[in-house]
Amino acid sequence: ATRKKEGREMPKDEPDEKKKIQYHTYNKGEEELEMIKEMIQKDLSEPYSIFTYRYFISGWPDLCYLAMCGENCVGTIVCRLERNSHTKLLCGYIAMLAVDKRFRKRGIGTRLVKLAVMRMISQKADEIVLETEIDNLGALNLYENLGFVRELRLTRYYMAGTDAFRLKLWLKPPIPDSSDSLLDQ
Amino acid sequence: LPRFTETFIYLVLCEINFRKWVADMEAVAEDAEDGVREIDESETSIGNVPPSDNSLALRPEYGCNWVEITAEFFEASKELDLGELLHDELFGLFEAMSAIEMMDPKMDAGMMCNRGNKVLTFDKAIKAGVLKLNNFSMEELVGIMDCILGCLVTWLEGHSAAQTILTCLYLHKPLSIEDRALRAFCVLTLKLVALINNIVNIAGVYEEEDFQPGLYGYGVCAEVPEARAAAAVREVEEELQRVVKSTRGRQGEAWEPLMQKQHEDAVALFSRVRFLRLLYAALSAIMRRDQVSMQEAERCLASCTELVCIMQNTVGRGLRPKAHKDDDPNRGDYGHMMGFEPLVNQRLLPPTFPRYTRLRTRREALQYLDELVTRIRQCGKITHTHTFKQATEFLERFGELEPCVLSRSIAQVLYLGAGNGSGTGPDDKLWGGQSMADTLRSAAKQFICPPALMPKAAVLNNPQAKQYVDNFFMQCVRPFEQLMQMHGHNRARQRDKVTDLLREFASLQDEADEVDAFLHNVLLKSEQPRPHLAYLGTWVLHHTLRLMLHYLLTGFSLQLYAPHEYHYIYWYLYEFVFVWLVSALTRADALLPDQENMEQQQRAKSSRSTRHKNRKQRKTHRPYGKEIAFYQAQQHLCGGFYKAMVGLREAGKVRLPQQEFDDEKVRYHHRFLPFNVVVTPPPVSYHTFITMTDLSNFPQPVSPSALYHDARNHFFKAKTLLEGITNPNSEMQAILKIVKTNFVVMKLLEGGHKNEDPSPPKFDYTYHSCFPVIRV
């Protein structure tokens, strides 16, 4: 989930907001993990344990991207790609997405999602999902702009009692292959 | 220590001071000795409760040779590289995600219990002298009862009993309470909890987000008979009633303040105990499922509505404990209210984040109870329906209000029964006493009058034909039961159920067609040759189509579709679903009077004197006229939306997703995927969609204006159809409003209004959750 939280302490080295943003996959180990954790914790409404970060990032490091402004991490995305035992589909899951408050509205979030989605497509994902609160307009706009649609409504999904949407990006037609020649009379 | 790749040591023990951990464990052991976690068989579950009689430290068979290894541990861990993790084969990162870090206050639920005051159970609280069992003031009684009602309501809203009703210590050992009023109230509360649990379980229309039935092994006074519990409350009521009467103000005299206080306190208490008794009585009566009991229930519930009013007016008379400086606003006033211990069951809960359930305040709870009583009275009206069709429509309309799980469950149990599935007991009959198979038979007959179902049908002489027909209706039972249950689920879950149902109905369609064909052959060879084509088939088809309609429309009410998807959804409704619905009903409409007339003629043959009369009565009767008109209106409404959306797209006013990942064909196929199991009607491919909606099919040149013009015509047609319906219901009236407004909007757009403005239109669903007013 991506959610804003009220005022947090500023990092010691303030990122220069005019510097260009660089993107790279998780590849430097523990220091990056710390940065990612700090970035996400500032934003999220539900706290995660360190194991959650490790599970995703060490499992799928190439699906984890960082947006860097110089030495500072100003955005990050954490994902997973796994075969669903029930549907047999290769399903991508966007676990976390966060962008520093001061760097919003610059397309960083969109860029991070695009990078992750492209990587997952290159790894033959069938679909990509995530959940978000129904009133998280920022997230809904971002993902729907990229082609994600609301597949399901999950009532009282979050602890606070709010509903959520499961957003899904379908990458392939459903199985069995519903090619038009089969369906046309 | 052996190495594993990709790991480093994260065994929890090394993150905390080991010595402190031992000290805390010893403290827990002390508590255990004192009986903090009493294992009283009559009370708590055995579950994951630690042994009460000794701790690990004192168990002789394990020995107590603690060896500290902190230094060695950290020394050995230096061998691991940065980023390496050591873990057991069966306990990897996935498992660690849901594991708790012991003593981390954010994760270890038990840590909350170690903060501040000790968590007291019923017995400990008595011992500590903080829990009264007698000599309550009126304020205390009213306060405690209102808090219990708050817990009850929070539980009904879907929260765990462990964090709601079972946080009330008085409900742990109600028979130990000495005060008669509180004792009677608590016993009946537990019986009410058990009754509600039963109703919701039987109905089976709840999911985890709706309701949590678990009671963690706590007793619910099952050993106290219902009659005795009610009688105990009644006695208290009568006593209070005497006080109320004797302390009333007398005309002409000043009402002495003390007497007035006594009076008002008695009124407050009286209303609460009576409310509980009548609510219980109402639910109990409802479960008996007979006409007389329903009347009794209605009387009880009507009184409940009045009583809630009194309760709301007297809510201030309940004791409010002093606020604590570190009060968590989420806890309301329960944390310090005598008899309430929010953490008493914390260790029974799974080791997730320690969250409180925010309990409803007293006022909120009373408001909820008022609305609940209204809902129960409303859902009871399902007993006023006479046909299967009416019952289904009732459930659909009732469901639109998004009622609570209890009222939904009551509606299900009332209509479908509280059956154990054996098929023999009275509980397996529908309301009204018929079996489902017979009810469906009547429904099919009423829908389209299949010749084979008519009385004195020739076909009944053919045992094989009779068998086929009987078997068919037996096969219908399960799918139609599931159809009713689908309407009982919460709205979001209904969609999942529809997907399964479409599959069931597709099979049923095959069956129906086969039986029709067989009967057709039989009838053609009979004395009075008559066709029997697509009677049962049309009946089943009609239901399938309504399911498809429900699936697509709930996509709107759940806000699942994006504006850039509207055009294909509305197109599918306009070109196909509504067309087929109209066609099915038109067929029934045509056949129904024919059959009925043939019936009358047959009867007339046997009594010649009435033959002339019957000829005169044979009028052009359109039983489905109103319904067909409404479907046609909706069809044109959707046509209007479809054309409007295409027009808006052409005008660049619909925000389309970026091209990179989006594929409309893929989206389309997934959105309509559940329809692929249906054979009649056949699924409509994307290719067909593209072909049929190709703008080159339209008269050229196609501009947004031309499309707005088309949309306008559709809305106008819909308007005309709706205005032609006599006695329109509220839904029809709402749609008429929508159609009229959209007509105007299309006219404006056609005329070039806001031509230059690229901003997307807004879709206003205030009048109808599925059909918006387009606002530019």
Side-chain angles (χ1 to χ4, degrees):
Chain A
T2 54
R3 197 87 165 113
K4 284 176 85 160
K5 231 181 172 175
E6 298 314 326
R8 290 287 143 191
E9 68 286 338
M10 293 297 190
K12 293 193 185 96
D13 314 314
E14 304 227 1
D16 177 358
E17 304 191 10
K18 295 195 189 62
K19 260 196 179 144
K20 192 175 172 190
I21 309 293
Q22 311 274 352
Y23 297 87
H24 64 256
T25 0
Y26 178 84
N27 57 20
K28 291 198 184 77
E30 290 302 301
E31 325 152 6
E32 286 192 329
L33 185 70
E34 263 314 301
M35 281 198 285
I36 292 170
K37 186 179 165 193
E38 256 185 59
M39 184 74 251
I40 305 254
Q41 269 176 344
K42 271 190 250 176
D43 262 18
L44 248 40
S45 52
E46 311 209 338
Y48 291 128
S49 78
I50 187 66
F51 300 112
T52 309
Y53 296 100
R54 290 192 181 282
Y55 164 75
F56 284 104
I57 295 171
S58 62
W60 296 270
D62 52 347
L63 298 180
C64 173
Y65 283 87
L66 292 94
M68 305 297 292
C69 181
E71 300 264 293
N72 298 88
C73 174
V74 297
T76 184
I77 188 168
V78 172
C79 311
R80 170 186 72 189
L81 184 62
E82 219 175 37
R83 194 164 296 278
N84 182 312
S85 54
H86 186 60
T87 63
K88 305 285 188 259
L89 295 174
L90 197 55
C91 186
Y93 176 66
I94 300 178
M96 309 170 204
L97 172 69
V99 175
D100 188 303
K101 261 204 301 249
R102 294 160 296 182
F103 286 78
R104 302 248 168 104
K105 302 247 184 255
R106 289 201 213 179
I108 295 177
T110 300
R111 181 111 181 88
L112 286 167
V113 173
K114 278 192 183 180
L115 285 166
V117 170
M118 286 193 293
R119 182 62 63 83
M120 289 191 267
I121 289 176
S122 74
Q123 295 178 0
K124 312 282 185 244
D126 292 312
E127 59 185 27
I128 300 176
V129 306
L130 66 129
E131 293 99 21
T132 186
E133 284 127 312
I134 57 170
D135 52 1
N136 189 345
L137 297 175
L140 289 171
N141 268 333
L142 192 160
Y143 289 105
E144 287 175 351
N145 203 26
L146 293 173
F148 285 77
V149 291
R150 304 169 193 184
E151 190 201 16
L152 287 182
R153 183 139 172 179
L154 308 159
T155 38
R156 289 195 57 235
Y157 189 71
Y158 291 106
M159 291 276 188
T162 43
D163 289 0
F165 284 123
R166 171 167 303 149
L167 298 181
K168 188 171 270 193
L169 177 67
W170 285 299
L171 296 168
K172 296 179 190 162
I175 299 159
D177 180 32
S178 44
S179 61
D180 299 295
S181 54
L182 291 173
L183 288 176
D184 271 14
Q185 299 302 299
Chain B
L1 291 165
R3 283 185 184 187
F4 292 82
T5 52
E6 265 194 325
T7 58
F8 70 80
I9 286 186
Y10 228 105
L11 256 177
V12 173
L13 289 175
C14 72
E15 288 236 333
I16 56 172
N17 185 323
F18 186 67
R19 284 201 190 95
K20 183 172 189 310
W21 181 80
V22 170
D24 276 309
M25 284 306 283
E26 280 169 357
V28 169
E30 263 175 50
D31 275 349
E33 268 185 46
D34 289 345
V36 152
R37 287 291 341 149
E38 296 166 51
I39 307 300
D40 183 347
E41 255 100 50
S42 68
E43 265 193 46
T44 56
S45 70
I46 306 304
N48 13 329
V49 174
S52 66
D53 52 349
N54 46 67
S55 72
L56 287 172
L58 301 175
R59 259 207 173 137
E61 61 266 38
Y62 288 149
C64 41
N65 281 336
W66 286 106
V67 177
E68 191 180 335
I69 57 163
T70 318
E72 289 88 330
F73 191 83
F74 280 108
E75 187 60 39
S77 68
K78 284 185 191 157
E79 284 184 35
L80 293 169
D81 290 335
L82 188 66
E84 254 196 311
L85 173 71
L86 178 71
H87 72 91
D88 183 85
E89 210 181 294
L90 297 173
F91 196 89
L93 286 168
F94 183 76
E95 288 72 31
M97 266 204 301
S98 5
I100 54 166
E101 279 189 45
M102 295 195 300
M103 293 181 62
D104 179 344
K106 276 204 224 127
M107 305 191 76
D108 187 340
M111 281 304 285
M112 268 174 30
C113 307
N114 291 351
R115 274 193 250 156
N117 302 325
K118 263 193 167 174
V119 173
L120 300 174
T121 58
F122 183 91
D123 289 337
K124 275 220 120 186
I126 301 280
K127 215 169 162 186
V130 295
L131 191 70
K132 262 190 196 176
L133 294 176
N134 210 340
N135 301 318
F136 293 97
S137 68
M138 292 298 260
E139 285 81 11
E140 284 171 331
L141 288 174
V142 172
I144 291 169
M145 288 181 188
D146 279 347
C147 287
I148 289 178
L149 291 174
C151 291
L152 183 73
V153 163
T154 313
W155 175 63
L156 285 175
E157 289 188 305
H159 294 282
S160 154
Q163 289 184 323
T164 55
I165 42 183
L166 298 174
T167 62
C168 176
L169 298 178
Y170 288 117
L171 295 177
H172 294 190
K173 286 189 170 176
L175 297 173
S176 302
I177 302 170
E178 288 161 26
D179 178 281
R180 280 187 25 221
L182 190 60
R183 181 173 68 237
F185 189 89
C186 290
V187 169
L188 197 59
T189 298
L190 286 173
K191 295 197 81 63
L192 179 65
V193 163
L195 179 57
I196 291 171
N197 232 2
N198 194 36
I199 294 173
V200 175
N201 269 315
I202 287 175
V205 290
Y206 70 99
E207 301 284 345
E208 60 181 346
E209 65 268 19
D210 296 313
F211 187 74
Q212 294 183 45
L215 293 175
Y216 300 88
Y218 278 88
V220 285
C221 288
E223 70 279 14
V224 179
E226 191 179 297
R228 189 140 75 80
V233 175
R234 222 201 178 109
E235 274 174 39
V236 170
E237 255 177 70
E238 283 163 8
E239 211 173 280
L240 286 167
Q241 211 162 23
R242 284 195 283 275
V243 175
V244 166
K245 283 201 181 125
S246 68
T247 53
R248 227 166 237 159
R250 281 173 241 296
Q251 233 185 357
E253 286 176 29
W255 203 2
E256 209 237 325
L258 181 61
M259 195 175 279
Q260 185 177 2
K261 180 182 183 306
Q262 278 180 326
H263 177 83
E264 286 167 2
D265 282 341
V267 166
L269 203 62
F270 171 80
S271 57
R272 282 154 178 78
V273 296
R274 190 169 164 82
F275 174 85
L276 186 70
R277 183 174 68 82
L278 291 179
L279 181 62
Y280 185 92
L283 291 180
S284 198
I286 284 171
M287 289 305 279
R288 290 197 287 272
R289 288 181 84 231
D290 63 69
Q291 201 64 262
V292 172
S293 298
M294 284 309 294
Q295 288 166 356
E296 184 196 325
E298 172 56 29
R299 280 194 301 272
C300 291
L301 291 169
S303 294
C304 283
T305 302
E306 289 171 13
L307 288 165
V308 169
C309 213
I310 302 174
M311 289 156 78
Q312 284 169 321
N313 290 336
T314 53
V315 73
R317 305 200 79 82
L319 178 73
R320 265 167 215 289
K322 285 202 187 67
H324 237 244
K325 59 173 162 25
D326 54 28
D327 254 351
D328 181 346
N330 283 336
R331 289 162 65 171
D333 55 18
Y334 294 70
H336 306 286
M337 186 69 194
M338 173 174 61
F340 290 85
E341 182 51 83
L343 299 177
V344 72
N345 300 308
Q346 207 60 20
R347 292 201 168 107
L348 291 177
L349 295 171
T352 47
F353 298 102
R355 303 280 163 89
Y356 287 115
T357 292
R358 184 195 157 278
L359 291 164
R360 287 292 199 171
T361 65
R362 302 175 200 201
R363 282 192 197 279
E364 286 173 337
L366 292 174
Q367 181 62 31
Y368 183 93
L369 288 171
D370 184 30
E371 290 162 5
L372 175 67
V373 170
T374 307
R375 276 196 298 274
I376 297 176
R377 290 170 82 177
Q378 180 59 31
C379 75
K381 296 206 172 111
I382 197 172
T383 57
H384 297 175
T385 61
H386 302 291
T387 64
F388 182 78
K389 184 170 180 215
Q390 286 174 352
T392 324
E393 284 170 359
F394 179 92
L395 283 178
E396 276 181 39
R397 272 196 314 273
F398 185 64
E400 270 159 36
L401 309 166
E402 293 196 85
C404 66
V405 66
L406 179 57
S407 52
R408 285 190 271 119
S409 302
I410 289 172
Q412 293 286 308
V413 170
L414 274 175
Y415 190 73
L416 289 175
N420 49 12
S422 67
T424 49
D427 275 338
D428 291 316
K429 302 280 190 209
L430 299 183
W431 176 267
Q434 265 195 327
S435 69
M436 179 63 104
D438 287 338
T439 303
L440 292 173
R441 216 183 178 110
S442 306
K445 194 165 147 196
Q446 277 162 357
F447 179 74
I448 198 169
C449 270
L453 295 183
M454 304 315 288
K456 299 187 188 174
V459 100
L460 295 175
N461 296 327
N462 178 327
Q464 201 183 10
K466 186 177 182 307
Q467 186 75 20
Y468 263 123
V469 172
D470 289 346
N471 280 346
F472 171 71
F473 283 106
M474 283 310 294
Q475 273 204 290
C476 283
V477 169
R478 190 85 194 99
F480 278 90
E481 249 172 28
Q482 287 172 325
L483 173 67
M484 295 298 268
Q485 285 171 326
M486 180 274 290
H487 283 297
H489 276 269
N490 75 50
R491 201 177 46 174
R493 293 282 185 172
Q494 282 181 17
R495 247 170 154 249
D496 300 337
K497 305 291 173 191
V498 167
T499 308
D500 298 326
L501 272 174
L502 284 173
R503 204 180 300 269
E504 298 275 323
F505 274 77
S507 304
L508 213 53
Q509 187 75 56
D510 283 340
E511 282 296 314
D513 292 338
E514 273 184 37
V515 176
D516 270 334
F518 182 80
L519 293 171
H520 179 69
N521 284 331
V522 167
L523 276 171
L524 283 179
K525 296 175 196 153
S526 72
E527 289 173 2
Q528 288 163 332
R530 203 181 294 177
H532 202 290
L533 285 173
Y535 277 86
L536 298 173
T538 306
W539 178 64
V540 174
L541 176 64
H542 173 244
H543 283 284
T544 303
L545 293 169
R546 284 199 58 80
L547 283 169
M548 292 168 73
L549 181 65
H550 191 65
Y551 183 80
L552 291 177
L553 290 183
T554 45
F556 285 106
S557 50
L558 293 167
Q559 301 168 298
L560 297 181
Y561 303 127
H564 63 261
E565 300 185 271
Y566 286 179
H567 68 299
Y568 51 68
I569 306 287
Y570 282 123
W571 174 81
Y572 206 107
L573 288 163
Y574 160 66
E575 284 283 8
F576 294 99
V577 180
F578 280 117
V579 169
W580 290 321
L581 267 167
V582 168
S583 154
L585 276 189
T586 306
R587 188 177 158 72
D589 195 60
L591 291 174
L592 203 52
D594 277 352
Q595 290 302 327
E596 285 174 347
N597 284 328
M598 280 205 217
E599 279 302 299
Q600 286 183 338
Q601 282 187 349
Q602 258 201 320
R603 272 183 259 129
K605 271 184 190 162
S606 49
S607 80
R608 291 163 204 272
S609 57
T610 56
R611 204 187 298 189
H612 283 294
K613 247 194 205 170
N614 283 342
R615 285 239 172 87
K616 278 185 192 161
Q617 282 169 8
R618 190 177 177 180
K619 51 187 187 251
T620 43
H621 176 49
R622 290 202 67 210
Y624 289 110
K626 195 169 173 178
E627 267 183 81
I628 290 173
F630 188 42
Y631 279 140
Q632 283 174 325
Q634 289 176 84
Q635 182 196 349
H636 280 288
L637 174 67
C638 293
F641 282 123
Y642 154 59
K643 291 277 168 63
M645 291 314 300
V646 177
L648 289 164
R649 283 169 83 102
E650 287 298 299
K653 294 195 191 203
V654 175
R655 194 157 170 227
L656 299 175
Q658 293 181 28
Q659 297 276 42
E660 218 168 327
F661 306 127
D662 181 57
D663 185 329
E664 190 175 79
K665 176 177 168 188
V666 168
R667 250 194 288 126
Y668 175 100
H669 278 300
H670 279 279
R671 281 302 196 192
F672 296 108
L673 185 59
F675 294 176
N676 283 358
V677 298
V678 178
V679 175
T680 316
V684 180
S685 71
Y686 184 71
H687 179 77
T688 309
F689 166 69
I690 288 297
T691 316
M692 284 178 71
T693 59
D694 190 345
L695 286 175
S696 57
N697 290 340
F698 295 86
Q700 301 295 316
V702 182
S703 63
S705 288
L707 291 158
Y708 298 143
H709 183 86
D710 270 1
R712 172 155 79 95
N713 284 343
H714 280 298
F715 288 133
F716 187 81
K717 264 210 181 94
K719 178 174 101 83
T720 313
L721 284 158
L722 287 166
E723 283 171 340
I725 296 177
T726 50
N727 294 326
N729 61 30
S730 54
E731 192 189 3
M732 293 171 183
Q733 288 171 18
I735 293 180
L736 183 56
K737 233 184 274 189
I738 293 165
V739 153
K740 281 182 177 167
T741 316
N742 285 340
F743 173 83
V744 172
V745 172
M746 286 302 118
K747 201 161 178 201
L748 287 170
L749 285 174
E750 194 187 339
H753 176 66
K754 297 251 175 141
N755 231 349
E756 309 307 315
D757 185 354
S759 48
K762 294 211 178 13
F763 299 95
D764 178 2
Y765 290 91
T766 357
Y767 295 113
H768 196 289
S769 58
C770 309
F771 301 123
V773 166
I774 305 173
R775 299 205 188 277
V776 289

